[in-house]
Amino acid sequence: MVNAFVIEALPLQSDADGVIRVGGTRVTLDTVVYAFEQGSTAEEIVQRYPSLDLGDVYIIIGYYLQNQVSISAYIQERQKRAERVKQDNIKRSQQQTIRTRLLARRAASKAA
């Protein structure tokens, strides 16, 4: 008698913004990969992020080890996007500061 194995899909889901998350959690693929690259074991990662399933973390680490180039490219693109968002936020806050100064000037000129 031959045992049948069930092959399950990767426990990864992409959200509406294209961010890949682990299982049904809010923990991102980037987070797990970064922790692993910093020397954390699967068990330590689950301790740090208790919403993760240990088996899922092992699967993801194995998948990462087999697909380092594509996953690293994904992570680099996410980092670039985060930097663009950061710069946009800085630009917006600077514009808000200018707006605040202009409104203050306008109020001062009306008061005078």
Side-chain angles (χ1 to χ4, degrees), residues 1 4 7 10-11 17 24 26-27 32 38 41 45 48 62-64 66 68 76 80 86 88 91 94 102 106:
M1 179 171 171
I7 299 174
L10 284 172
D17 296 321
R26 294 176 42 100
V27 180
V32 173
Q38 296 302 310
T41 64
I45 294 169
R48 203 176 305 171
Y63 182 74
Y64 167 66
Q66 293 177 344
Q68 287 184 34
Q76 286 176 351
K80 287 178 189 175
K86 179 181 174 183
D88 288 347
K91 185 186 273 186
Q94 289 171 343
L102 291 173
R106 178 194 230 177

Side-chain angles (χ1 to χ4, degrees), residues 50-62:
S51 61
L52 294 175
D53 177 76
L54 182 60
D56 288 350
V57 174
Y58 271 111
I59 290 170
I60 289 166
I61 290 171

Side-chain angles (χ1 to χ4, degrees), residues 53-107:
D53 177 76
L54 182 60
D56 288 350
V57 174
Y58 271 111
I59 290 170
I60 289 166
I61 290 171
Y63 182 74
Y64 167 66
L65 291 172
Q66 293 177 344
N67 299 279
Q68 287 184 34
V69 173
S70 60
I71 292 175
S72 293
Y74 161 77
I75 291 172
Q76 286 176 351
E77 184 56 38
R78 290 243 315 132
Q79 290 170 339
K80 287 178 189 175
R81 182 172 182 218
E83 185 59 34
R84 286 192 304 268
V85 168
K86 179 181 174 183
Q87 293 305 317
D88 288 347
N89 288 339
I90 290 170
K91 185 186 273 186
R92 266 193 228 109
S93 73
Q94 289 171 343
Q95 290 171 346
Q96 186 62 31
T97 302
I98 292 169
R99 182 176 188 279
T100 303
R101 286 186 298 179
L102 291 173
L103 289 174
R105 249 190 245 166
R106 178 194 230 177

